[in-house]
């Protein structure tokens, strides 16, 4: 799948400078692009929003300066603001209670309509976003700009104030810190019926404590991670041992509250996932990472922290409508 976020060398050739183009027009044209960079860098929706708003507010004072390529300039502003935030938040992340998972991006009306969200090429899969958490802020910046947007090393170096050689080294180091087989960057353009069937089987197996059914669903090395953020009690450490993950997901004494929820389909980061409902509100989200063949589960990510569920909503009957318009 080709992403519409990758850099186009011809796109900015005849672009007017901000002095002759209203900042409001820049906002309409590049808001989604700016948010996509910020969300990949930060893994949070609210902070990414704030970075984007701050960036375009700052452009108001730049309209008379000589900026030949607004899109590139906006990317530079966004990535450096994100680096500053990540570096300043490092201590906060280190003292986060339990495991830290990225904030899932649901049907996000502030950017696109629910129908459009299924068609967008700019979504990043939740599994890929989780993987990016292994990188340092600078590694993440170089890797995201290179992999997701295919910017040249020379361009990245100029934005980050480093040499081209240094950026290549940072990219190489980042790649060594990631698994050899990367998860899909974008929501897989696969048969969604298979994913829905797996999610349905997973839900049934979980609710029934069905060891045999869950065993058939999990790969040989599954991962289970839960994020309660110290707000809601949940499992504190990531489990990577097959028997341990199986035990967590089928134990009648673990994650008891989840079996009291109403489980509904939703879209997270552009692909089918699960929203758990309590009193008509989303109380938890389960994001399932599939293996490369798309028929078994490599990872289960449970987001319990209520501060990370703001954009998620169950789709119910609208689920099929969204699929039809993808």
């Amino acid at each position: 799948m080709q992403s519409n976020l990758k850099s186009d060398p011809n796109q900015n050739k005849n672009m007017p400078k901000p002095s002759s183009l209203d900042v409001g027009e820049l906002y309409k044209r590049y808001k989604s692009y700016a948010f996509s960079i910020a969300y990949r860098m930060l893994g949070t929706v609210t902070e990414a929003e704030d970075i984007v708003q701050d960036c375009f507010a700052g452009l108001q004072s730049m309209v008379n300066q000589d900026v030949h390529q607004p899109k590139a300039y906006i990317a530079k502003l966004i990535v450096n603001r994100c680096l500053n935030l990540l570096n300043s938040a490092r201590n906060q992340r280190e003292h986060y209670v339990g495991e830290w998972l990225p904030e899932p991006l649901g049907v996000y009306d502030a950017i696109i309509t629910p129908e459009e969200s299924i068609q967008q090429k700019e979504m990043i899969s939740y599994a890929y976003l989780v993987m990016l958490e292994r990188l340092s802020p600078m590694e993440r910046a170089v890797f995201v700009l290179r992999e997701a947007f295919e910017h040249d090393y020379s361009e990245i170096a100029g934005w980050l104030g480093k040499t081209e050689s240094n950026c290549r080294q940072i990219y190489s180091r980042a790649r060594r810190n990631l698994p050899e087989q990367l998860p899909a960057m974008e929501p897989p353009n696969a048969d969604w019926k298979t994913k829905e069937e797996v999610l349905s089987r997973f839900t049934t197996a979980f609710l029934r404590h069905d060891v045999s059914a869950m065993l058939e669903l999990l790969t040989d090395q599954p991962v289970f991670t839960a994020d309660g953020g110290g707000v809601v009690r949940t499992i504190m450490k990531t489990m990577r041992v097959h028997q341990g993950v199986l035990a967590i997901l089928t134990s009648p004494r673990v994650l008891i509250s989840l079996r009291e929820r109403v489980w509904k389909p939703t879209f997270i980061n552009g692909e089918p996932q699960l929203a758990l409902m309590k009193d008509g509100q989303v109380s938890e989200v389960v994001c399932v990472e599939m293996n490369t063949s798309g028929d078994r589960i490599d990872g289960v990510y449970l987001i319990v922290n209520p501060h990370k569920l703001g954009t998620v909503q169950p789709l119910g009957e609208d689920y099929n409508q969204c699929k039809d318009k993808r």
Side-chain angles (χ1 to χ4, degrees):
M1 181 186 299
Q2 294 298 314
S3 171
N4 66 346
L5 290 178
K6 294 168 183 175
S7 59
D8 180 354
N10 298 316
Q11 187 163 351
N12 291 319
K13 271 188 176 179
N14 301 313
M15 177 64 69
K17 301 174 188 178
S19 56
S20 60
L21 182 65
D22 187 85
V23 173
E25 182 63 28
L26 286 177
Y27 182 73
K28 287 191 294 183
R29 186 187 297 263
Y30 296 125
K31 176 183 70 169
S32 181
Y33 170 73
F35 178 86
S36 297
I37 297 176
Y39 181 56
R40 283 162 170 75
M41 283 291 299
L42 302 173
T44 61
V45 176
T46 303
E47 289 178 334
E49 268 191 314
D50 290 343
I51 289 286
V52 171
Q53 294 295 331
D54 182 53
C55 170
F56 284 98
L59 282 177
Q60 294 285 353
S61 61
M62 302 289 294
V63 293
N64 294 319
Q65 295 196 30
D66 191 18
V67 180
H68 293 281
Q69 295 183 315
K71 182 179 180 181
Y73 189 73
I74 288 168
K76 176 180 178 179
L77 291 178
I78 291 291
V79 73
N80 280 284
R81 279 171 165 78
C82 288
L83 280 172
N84 290 338
L85 182 60
L86 285 173
N87 287 322
S88 65
R90 181 176 297 174
N91 185 63
Q92 180 182 349
R93 290 278 180 95
E94 289 175 352
H95 290 85
Y96 192 81
V97 178
E99 300 286 359
W100 193 97
L101 284 172
E103 182 177 353
L105 181 61
V107 178
Y108 193 48
D109 290 332
I111 302 175
I112 45 182
T113 65
E115 292 81 7
E116 288 171 334
S117 70
I118 310 308
Q119 302 171 3
Q120 289 295 311
K121 309 288 190 193
E122 60 202 33
M123 285 290 187
I124 181 171
S125 73
Y126 192 77
Y128 201 89
L129 204 60
V130 170
M131 181 199 69
L132 290 177
E133 291 300 317
R134 303 185 184 194
L135 303 179
S136 70
M138 185 59 68
E139 289 172 348
R140 189 162 180 161
V142 173
F143 189 80
V144 164
L145 291 172
R146 182 64 181 167
E147 284 289 310
F149 302 95
E150 291 190 347
H151 288 295
D152 294 335
Y153 283 112
S154 58
E155 193 172 25
I156 297 171
W159 294 348
L160 300 178
K162 295 187 177 295
T163 66
E164 185 174 340
S165 174
N166 192 206
C167 286
R168 290 180 183 276
Q169 292 173 2
I170 293 171
Y171 176 88
S172 296
R173 185 170 65 244
R175 190 61 187 86
R176 288 194 299 271
N177 290 333
L178 299 177
E180 182 177 347
Q181 181 67 44
L182 300 180
M185 183 187 305
E186 300 165 350
N189 188 21
D191 180 6
W192 282 10
K193 185 176 181 180
T194 301
K195 175 71 177 287
E196 293 160 25
E197 289 174 351
V198 170
L199 290 174
S200 177
R201 290 168 57 199
F202 173 81
T203 301
T204 301
F206 180 84
L207 295 178
R208 294 179 179 175
H209 320 289
D210 191 331
V211 176
S212 295
M214 191 67 75
L215 192 59
E216 292 178 357
L217 285 170
L218 298 176
T219 58
D220 293 336
Q221 294 182 309
V223 174
F224 175 87
T225 304
D227 178 349
V231 181
V232 180
R233 292 184 62 185
T234 189
I235 295 170
M236 297 288 287
K237 295 292 184 181
T238 292
M239 177 63 69
R240 302 182 186 275
V241 179
H242 185 278
Q243 289 302 315
V245 174
L246 181 66
I248 288 172
L249 295 176
T250 57
S251 171
R253 295 180 294 276
V254 180
L255 303 176
I256 297 173
S257 62
L258 302 189
R259 295 183 173 88
E260 301 170 353
R261 307 291 190 246
V262 177
W263 290 50
K264 291 195 173 185
T266 188
F267 278 100
I268 299 295
N269 292 64
E271 58 185 322
Q273 299 290 2
L274 296 164
L276 281 57
M277 310 295 294
K278 178 182 179 182
D279 300 328
Q281 301 294 321
V282 177
S283 54
E284 297 91 8
V285 163
V286 173
C287 290
V288 172
E289 177 184 354
M290 308 300 295
N291 63 354
T292 53
S293 61
D295 59 354
R296 299 180 74 188
I297 296 172
D298 259 342
V300 178
Y301 305 106
L302 172 64
I303 302 94
V304 184
N305 186 343
H307 302 310
K308 295 186 176 182
L309 304 178
T311 68
V312 179
Q313 54 186 284
L315 295 179
E317 294 179 358
D318 294 333
Y319 184 68
N320 290 325
Q321 296 176 15
C322 287
K323 288 192 297 180
D324 293 339
K325 296 181 181 181
R326 59 190 280 254

